[in-house]
Amino acid sequence: PNEYSFSAMEAKWPAVWEELGVFKAVDDGSKERRYVLDMFPYPSGDLHMGHAEAFAMGDVVARYLRLKGYDVLHPIGWDSFGLPAENAAIKRNAHPSEWTYANIETQAASFKRYAISADWSRRLHTSDADYYRWTQWLFLRFYERGLAYRKNSPVNWCPKDLTVLANEQVVNGACERCGTPVTKKSLNQWYFKITEYADRLLDDMDELKGHWPERVLAMQRNWIGRSEGAHVNFKIEPADGRDAKDVTVFTTRPDTLHGATFFVVAADAHLALDLVTPEQHDALMDYREKVKALSDIERQSTDREKTGVFLGRYAINPLNGEKLPVWAADYVLADYGTGAIMAVPAHDQRDLDFAKTFDLPVRAVLDTGEEDPAVSGTATTGEGSLINSGELNGLSKEEGIAKAIDIVEAAGTGEKTVNYRLRDWLLSRQRFWGAPIPIIHCAECGEVPVPDNQLPVRLPEDLRGEALSPKGTSPLAAAADWVNVDCPNCGRAATRDTDTMDTFVDSSWYYLRFASPDYTEGPFDVEAVNKWLPVGQYVGGVEHAILHLLYSRFFTKVLKDLGLVDFDEPFSSLLNQGQVLNGGKAMSKSLGNGVDLGEQLDKFGVDAIRLTMIFASPPEDDVDWADVSPSGSAKFLARAWRLGQDVTSPVGADPADGDRALRSVTHRTIADAAELLDNHKFNVVIARLMELVNATRKAIDSGVGGADPAVREATEAVAIVLSLFAPYTAEDLWAALGHEPSVAAASWPAVDEQLLVQATVTAVVQVQGKVRDRLEVAPDISEEELKAKALASEQVVKTLDGRSVRTVIVRAPKLVNIVPA
Ligand code: ANZ
Ligand code: ZN
């Protein structure tokens, strides 16, 4: 064949790869193991441009490590529970599994066409009963340790999807999925106690530094939000038929206790109702109605007018006995700290804004050298020394914090504490297409875990269409046959829990299942997992920073405590690919700027699209499809492929006899490519590969010729490096060079260090046009370096004999002319 045809290649190679099983993990201990994983896809329709980018990157790493001689685990599966399937089923009067598995088949075919070097024998789907059986099993292990529990509390509620959401699924006050503003609803829900792992989730990030993008670590750190401070008790004076009451606040600034001028409780906290006097009761109730409609983000925004209601009570400052009016306000959140604060308007801007609105006093207690906040309207938060603070006067902020804590601790009115922003993970969902929570509710025995040997608790197969539409309670509640069971404990009539698990539970452990996907004795074979994991290279989007990535870290730590894994962190190295944009904007239906992956593949071929994705930018940066040139990529691929047509030396020809200049380029390319790949500079590898193709073509067309074994060596290197990015073209090229059976079974070429030694060129140094010296320099020497070398030459110094230099003309690397003054 001497026409480059991507369709012919795409028709040929997938069957060869499958037959050879070249992408299967060997798993016999003969080679060192490496685990490369892309975040598994959700089966909504066919693959899109984002998948094409991320999976191309993961595949570069997997293919490279395989060529380097590692036993590579590069599996694929589907995160196949979730709402879209359910919504589609309601619309089409179908079962969610129909839509789900049809889409999975479509995506699987596309992945195969896209030549992802996956080990298909390990494929899994989280909606398969033999997967979710183990999701349920894990839930029960968490439950036994007190890490899964039910409680009644106000939760995030999406009024459109009619289901609860985890804090992590509320984005700017709206449902992560549908964008509807989230409201609060009091419900009895299941939680995972992720807060118990807050410190370990923070501390173990040290291990990830340098291997995970710093912004992901920062987002997690922020989300966990560890604050050191103190709990301080305030007595609320009795009033108007209401008794005295102790209320604790959380403060990070106990040094400012003398600056507290009022006291605020969250308007929506029960505490506000406990405190309010009868005459203020109606005002509070009205206010609470208004607060209900606000998101936490709105409530904490600094540019909203402050609102609140005086509760008719006074709190006593434990440090100086002052009486502080007690208010209810929305800017204090019910579920952070204790839901109550001491307000220090001089040093906290929100308190200051509130004080201004309601004409409350402002008293600075830390002199920072800035203008008095009461005058400037700007709270001061810097360093300084304490004033107006009795025995704390003169201390720095830090000293003041320590001393204030000592004082309240000694008086028994407070203590040092650590507070977290992180909340427990709300995992129950009132929807159908998820893993049922394996708990039975019995009037006699309470919550009873489904015995392990009765797992999986399967989803009923006859619920379809309208029966799945959201009602605010789980559709499973309507399946009487399914709900009504005998209590496993006492045998009396009991009912199943009708909620299903958040799909993030499914994805928190799938990477473990891949080590032994058919294991039937547990969620995974402990030995296999400890051999393969942690995942050496994980690839996926930054949108999972505080969701999937945090949850998976939590799961891994619990599994470590259960003795099931021997590591603390699931993903040793993380690569966040950028987004694929079109015209500088994310692709979206509303903008009409979507690019269809299938059409691109039909038009340019798989290899050209893969190459374009990787060549466009460094992996972490966005790719703007409006700026790339798949046809340029296709031309380069054809050019590389044609080299194979011109190599006439036999397989095994000794390159030692070949053209030394070309050999140098080849070996430098291989050496640099390895280093660049180790540092994820995939786009630069392609640029270097293009140079090698050019050098090889030049050698063939100039005197060296296609019979020179150095040309074969160069072309073989092209095929091998190209196989990371454009596997079809690389296979064809490899075959044209007379190799069998697949470039995927080749090895990364060895580098001959001697060929890396750079040749030098001679630079002539003149003074006033007369040759005074000759220097041996690198061919790529910079002008500055050459100039410096020339001026330092002994001959030149002698010739100048103290005269100063007027100009230096530099033509690197060959000539320098120095003109004295
Ligand atoms: C007095 C004070 C003085 C405060 C000062 C700050 C500065 P982080 O760092 O985010 O943990 N706070 C406590 N509970 C709150 C709640 N439920 N809603 C809103 N604000 C709350 O913030 C801790 C600080 O935020 C606490 O320290 C408290 O105000 C406020 F110059 O106490 B501080
Ligand atoms: Zn019972």
Side-chain angles (χ1 to χ4, degrees):
N2 31 31
E3 273 305 310
Y4 177 82
S5 157
F6 68 76
S7 38
M9 298 175 199
E10 288 176 21
K12 174 178 174 190
W13 289 102
V16 177
W17 294 324
E18 178 139 10
E19 161 111 30
L20 290 172
V22 271
F23 306 134
K24 272 197 185 142
V26 184
D27 205 7
D28 64 358
S30 60
K31 301 176 186 180
E32 214 183 304
R33 293 180 164 86
R34 284 284 189 279
Y35 189 174
V36 180
L37 186 65
D38 268 272
M39 289 183 188
F40 67 163
Y42 180 78
S44 52
D46 201 350
L47 299 186
H48 53 66
M49 296 294 278
H51 292 122
E53 187 197 25
F55 279 85
M57 280 170 196
D59 210 41
V60 169
V61 178
R63 286 175 180 272
Y64 171 58
L65 293 175
R66 235 179 256 118
L67 292 172
K68 280 280 217 175
Y70 294 103
D71 186 9
V72 175
L73 175 57
H74 188 220
I76 195 157
W78 276 269
D79 189 12
S80 50
F81 269 140
L83 259 190
E86 203 163 324
N87 292 337
I90 294 164
K91 234 192 238 162
R92 298 162 200 209
N93 192 29
H95 192 274
S97 65
E98 295 165 29
W99 181 90
T100 303
Y101 287 95
N103 284 347
I104 288 177
E105 287 316 316
T106 304
Q107 293 196 348
S110 296
F111 273 126
K112 287 187 177 167
R113 174 186 188 187
Y114 202 57
I116 293 306
S117 66
D119 182 345
W120 286 92
S121 69
R122 291 172 186 253
R123 170 173 173 174
L124 60 78
H125 317 120
T126 60
S127 56
D128 289 354
D130 64 7
Y131 183 90
Y132 71 72
R133 167 185 186 179
W134 300 113
T135 307
Q136 293 170 334
W137 186 93
L138 287 167
F139 173 93
L140 292 175
R141 301 293 85 79
F142 279 53
Y143 182 78
E144 287 160 4
R145 304 203 124 213
L147 293 173
Y149 68 96
R150 220 154 64 119
K151 75 170 173 194
N152 202 313
S153 76
V155 296
N156 303 307
W157 178 258
C158 173
K160 172 138 184 290
D161 292 333
L162 296 181
T163 186
V164 300
L165 301 170
N167 282 351
E168 290 80 359
Q169 289 167 321
V170 180
V171 179
N172 296 329
C175 171
E176 170 211 38
R177 252 186 316 252
C178 70
T180 308
V182 166
T183 59
K184 293 265 176 181
K185 193 167 171 170
S186 216
L187 283 175
N188 205 5
Q189 296 289 314
W190 287 97
Y191 292 83
F192 279 141
K193 218 181 241 171
I194 190 172
T195 51
E196 199 167 301
Y197 284 73
D199 271 326
R200 275 165 72 187
L201 287 165
L202 274 176
D203 294 346
D204 291 351
M205 268 193 247
D206 288 346
E207 224 178 275
L208 305 176
K209 253 185 223 141
H211 307 286
W212 278 38
E214 186 43 49
R215 69 173 166 163
V216 173
L217 297 177
M219 284 165 83
Q220 291 206 354
R221 219 176 280 124
N222 229 343
W223 188 255
I224 296 167
R226 185 180 198 274
S227 294
E228 285 185 15
H231 278 150
V232 181
N233 263 335
F234 284 68
K235 284 213 177 319
I236 312 289
E237 291 193 317
D240 198 10
R242 309 220 67 169
D243 294 338
K245 194 172 163 64
D246 275 358
V247 178
T248 302
V249 302
F250 170 68
T251 176
T252 48
R253 295 291 306 278
D255 58 315
T256 65
L257 262 160
H258 287 272
T261 57
F262 57 101
F263 191 96
V264 189
V265 300
D268 52 331
H270 201 271
L271 180 60
L273 296 177
D274 294 346
L275 291 178
V276 69
T277 55
E279 11 1 327
Q280 292 299 90
H281 183 266
D282 290 351
L284 175 66
M285 295 313 280
D286 283 353
Y287 183 59
R288 280 166 65 102
E289 273 312 306
K290 289 188 197 119
V291 172
K292 251 193 197 160
L294 300 172
S295 71
D296 286 2
I297 307 265
E298 288 169 309
R299 291 174 60 161
Q300 299 233 288
S301 149
T302 43
D303 42 49
R304 259 181 70 248
E305 180 79 23
K306 287 284 175 290
T307 58
V309 172
F310 176 51
L311 296 184
R313 307 285 296 269
Y314 292 87
I316 306 298
N317 187 330
L319 225 55
N320 58 14
E322 273 182 20
K323 273 171 78 162
L324 312 176
V326 178
W327 289 70
D330 60 9
Y331 79 97
V332 172
L333 303 177
D335 60 358
Y336 186 74
T338 63
I341 66 158
M342 62 172 200
V344 183
H347 306 294
D348 184 302
Q349 191 62 42
R350 287 168 307 171
D351 295 344
L352 183 54
D353 294 341
F354 193 89
K356 296 247 145 181
T357 306
F358 295 103
D359 223 358
L360 295 159
V362 178
R363 185 195 305 142
V365 289
L366 193 76
D367 182 4
T368 62
E370 289 158 281
E371 197 181 343
D372 183 353
V375 180
S376 69
T378 305
T380 57
T381 57
E383 302 300 320
S385 61
L386 286 160
I387 52 171
N388 300 325
S389 295
E391 67 245 270
L392 303 181
N393 279 342
L395 299 180
S396 69
K397 189 199 267 187
E398 206 180 304
E399 292 163 346
I401 289 173
K403 179 139 188 206
I405 290 174
D406 285 348
I407 295 170
V408 293
E409 282 185 345
T413 55
E415 65 197 350
K416 191 173 174 151
T417 190
V418 176
N419 189 63
Y420 299 90
R421 212 175 91 90
L422 185 69
R423 299 283 87 125
D424 278 342
W425 170 9
L426 199 177
L427 74 104
S428 43
R429 297 289 178 274
Q430 291 68 54
R431 297 299 300 250
F432 173 79
W433 193 231
I437 290 174
I439 294 285
I440 288 166
H441 300 282
C442 169
E444 287 296 314
C445 318
E447 288 168 2
V448 182
V450 173
D452 285 357
N453 62 12
Q454 290 173 28
L455 298 178
V457 177
R458 282 175 196 272
L459 285 168
E461 273 159 33
D462 48 359
L463 277 190
R464 53 198 294 125
E466 215 14 67
L468 303 175
S469 67
K471 299 162 194 68
T473 52
S474 169
L476 286 170
D481 288 357
W482 185 88
V483 171
N484 296 309
V485 287
D486 295 338
C487 170
N489 205 24
C490 70
R492 288 192 181 82
T495 56
R496 289 194 187 282
D497 197 294
T498 56
D499 285 352
T500 54
M501 291 187 229
D502 181 3
T503 58
F504 281 107
V505 181
D506 310 329
S507 55
S508 291
W509 71 278
Y510 79 105
Y511 48 90
L512 300 160
R513 181 81 181 159
F514 278 132
S516 52
D518 303 318
Y519 195 63
T520 54
E521 307 302 308
F524 48 81
D525 175 356
V526 169
E527 211 182 303
V529 159
N530 288 331
K531 271 193 272 192
W532 281 110
L533 281 95
V535 174
Q537 181 63 62
Y538 202 29
V539 181
V542 72
E543 66 275 16
H544 290 291
I546 51 164
L547 289 158
H548 166 59
L549 290 169
L550 189 63
Y551 294 151
S552 298
R553 295 185 59 222
F554 163 59
F555 255 62
T556 299
K557 292 176 198 309
V558 176
L559 293 172
K560 169 109 191 267
D561 292 350
L562 285 165
L564 292 175
V565 304
D566 63 9
F567 44 89
D568 292 288
E569 288 292 333
F571 314 123
S572 306
S573 168
L574 173 68
L575 179 63
N576 277 152
Q577 82 279 5
Q579 281 194 71
V580 189
L581 313 174
N582 190 16
K585 297 214 170 72
M587 296 185 195
S588 76
K589 271 212 182 90
S590 58
L591 289 174
N593 65 342
V595 175
D596 183 73
L597 175 62
E599 279 170 26
Q600 297 289 305
L601 299 179
D602 289 346
K603 192 161 166 202
F604 300 106
V606 167
D607 280 359
I609 297 305
R610 287 179 59 135
L611 192 86
T612 303
M613 283 288 182
I614 306 281
F615 186 47
S617 63
E620 305 80 8
D621 291 4
D622 293 343
V623 173
D624 191 338
W625 207 247
D627 294 342
V628 300
S629 169
S631 60
S633 298
K635 269 188 205 141
F636 162 70
L637 291 171
R639 193 170 155 77
W641 181 87
R642 275 196 301 272
L643 297 177
Q645 313 293 303
D646 294 339
V647 172
T648 55
S649 62
V651 175
D654 186 357
D657 309 329
D659 180 71
R660 172 150 174 134
L662 180 59
R663 296 203 71 205
S664 263
V665 180
T666 303
H667 284 257
R668 172 139 311 278
T669 304
I670 297 165
D672 290 354
E675 200 184 315
L676 291 163
L677 285 160
D678 291 336
N679 293 304
H680 297 163
K681 294 188 175 155
F682 307 143
N683 57 323
V684 186
V685 176
I686 295 177
R688 300 298 309 275
L689 192 58
M690 289 174 170
E691 288 167 20
L692 178 58
V693 168
N694 287 343
T696 311
R697 169 53 56 199
K698 222 166 151 186
I700 293 171
D701 293 347
S702 68
V704 176
D708 189 299
V711 169
R712 162 171 286 279
E713 182 185 44
T715 308
E716 288 179 349
V718 168
I720 290 171
V721 180
L722 190 63
S723 74
L724 312 183
F725 311 102
Y728 290 111
T729 309
E731 288 288 11
D732 250 34
L733 179 53
W734 193 243
L737 290 168
H739 290 292
E740 292 256 330
S742 163
V743 72
S747 303
W748 188 256
V751 172
D752 181 343
E753 297 287 335
Q754 293 208 327
L755 290 166
L756 300 183
V757 178
Q758 243 185 351
T760 56
V761 294
T762 307
V764 171
V765 183
Q766 306 172 330
V767 176
Q768 269 179 314
K770 259 201 194 129
V771 176
R772 297 291 177 182
D773 201 359
R774 287 191 161 77
L775 304 170
E776 287 303 306
V777 299
D780 59 351
I781 191 167
S782 69
E783 307 243 306
E784 292 82 90
E785 202 186 330
L786 182 55
K787 175 175 162 182
K789 276 205 156 120
L791 289 170
S793 144
E794 230 174 274
Q795 300 304 320
V796 170
V797 173
K798 218 160 123 196
T799 311
L800 286 174
D801 193 25
R803 283 177 293 168
S804 62
V805 172
R806 182 148 63 92
T807 39
V808 183
I809 299 151
V810 188
R811 299 271 175 273
K814 297 240 162 99
L815 179 80
V816 183
N817 187 13
I818 297 163
V819 184

